Amino acid sequence: MIFVKTEEEIALMREPNAVVRDCLKFVGEKICAGMTTKEVDTLVYDFIKASGAEPSCLGYCGYPASACVSVNETVVHGIPDDRVLAEGDIVSVDLCAYKNGFHGDGARTFCIGEVSAEKRKLVKVTEECFFKAIEGLKEGTPLYDIGYKVQRHAESNGFSVIRAYTGHGIGREMHEDPSVPNFGRRGTGIRIKAGTVLCIEPMIAAGSYRVRILDDEWTAVTADGKPAAHYENTVVVREDGVEILTL
């Protein structure tokens, strides 16, 4: 069931999403070579708590950290640990905050020092995919137009779209209907109503879109070991466009 939000609910959602926005900016300023992924997670936890919010990810379905910190070939759900970030890595940080009875969600992929031209292009194109996805997005847009635009932009740049994971609705629950794939056929899917709040999150791979799950039952890596990137914002669909809550 898709929960269309009232203006009062959207107003309450602005705060947790502002925490996500500011936390991602803060992490981007601090993350560097020599830092462990666990130290990145600590930055996230401390920032969210200091902002008067709660880290939604911590304990979610047993997840043991406040952020997903995914390095290079890890697509999503990388569990923070003692791994040391190195020059040339790309690192996706996905985090959620809970405040006012609602969740906010966002992700960015950061370059650690000088990275390869392929990785830099991958990160850039992944972010572009998000902005392509919201072009023309408004009340009445077919849901799968979002994924169509992501897929078209990613594949036109020689990359592939991860199919095993999708974006989603968000509100009082961190994951709500509808599922928002990053691929699809234009003109298909439900017509989106104004007041629908979505997490649109392109996950793009340099090689194959296929993934495998590690023994921890969380970490998803590309099956071919090639790098992947992730970019996510929470948006409100309006009658004539979108409002981005995490920018």
Side-chain angles (χ1 to χ4, degrees):
M1 181 177 179
I2 299 173
F3 297 101
V4 174
K5 309 302 189 289
T6 66
E7 287 305 316
E8 291 76 14
E9 289 173 322
I10 292 167
L12 291 171
M13 290 190 74
R14 288 196 179 94
E15 282 197 66
N17 280 285
V19 172
V20 170
R21 174 198 68 205
D22 294 344
C23 188
L24 287 167
K25 182 175 184 292
F26 175 73
V27 170
E29 292 167 350
K30 298 294 184 181
I31 196 167
C32 62
M35 181 180 287
T36 67
T37 57
K38 180 62 178 175
E39 287 172 330
V40 175
D41 184 66
T42 299
L43 288 177
V44 170
Y45 176 85
D46 290 346
F47 189 99
I48 292 175
K49 294 290 284 186
S51 301
E54 295 296 325
S56 309
C57 294
L58 185 59
Y60 179 76
C61 295
Y63 188 74
S66 300
C68 300
V69 185
S70 304
V71 184
N72 295 331
E73 74 281 2
T74 302
V75 180
V76 286
H77 305 156
I79 297 175
D81 56 19
D82 293 330
R83 178 172 181 166
V84 177
L85 300 179
E87 181 95 3
D89 286 339
I90 57 172
V91 187
S92 300
V93 179
D94 186 4
L95 60 94
C96 304
Y98 180 76
K99 190 175 184 179
N100 298 337
F102 289 91
H103 297 270
D105 192 359
R108 303 285 184 269
T109 300
F110 303 107
C111 295
I112 305 301
E114 290 298 318
V115 304
S116 68
E118 179 189 50
K119 284 182 176 178
R120 190 166 296 280
K121 180 182 177 184
L122 175 64
V123 171
K124 178 175 180 288
V125 168
T126 302
E127 180 175 341
E128 290 171 352
C129 282
F130 168 82
F131 290 99
K132 291 290 184 183
I134 64 171
E135 286 180 2
L137 177 56
K138 61 182 180 179
E139 183 174 35
T141 297
L143 179 66
Y144 298 143
D145 278 18
I146 295 171
Y148 167 80
K149 291 176 181 178
V150 171
Q151 183 178 16
R152 182 176 63 174
H153 188 64
E155 292 179 353
S156 70
N157 280 278
F159 299 131
S160 64
V161 171
I162 299 297
R163 287 159 167 73
Y165 298 94
T166 70
H168 52 91
I170 189 170
R172 295 188 184 277
E173 300 293 333
M174 185 162 56
H175 294 101
E176 296 182 353
D177 290 333
S179 176
V180 186
N182 290 305
F183 60 96
R185 187 159 60 89
R186 192 175 193 176
T188 63
I190 61 163
R191 301 279 172 165
I192 304 170
K193 294 180 179 179
T196 302
V197 183
L198 301 173
C199 292
I200 298 174
E201 48 180 317
M203 290 162 270
I204 309 299
S208 168
Y209 64 80
R210 299 187 186 281
V211 302
R212 61 185 180 88
I213 310 301
L214 301 188
D215 291 342
D216 60 24
E217 298 183 347
W218 280 103
T219 306
V221 301
T222 56
D224 59 11
K226 292 189 175 181
H230 186 192
Y231 185 89
E232 175 184 17
N233 283 306
T234 299
V235 307
V236 184
V237 178
R238 299 294 193 178
E239 289 182 2
D240 57 354
V242 297
E243 176 186 355
I244 304 174
L245 299 181
T246 42
L247 283 180

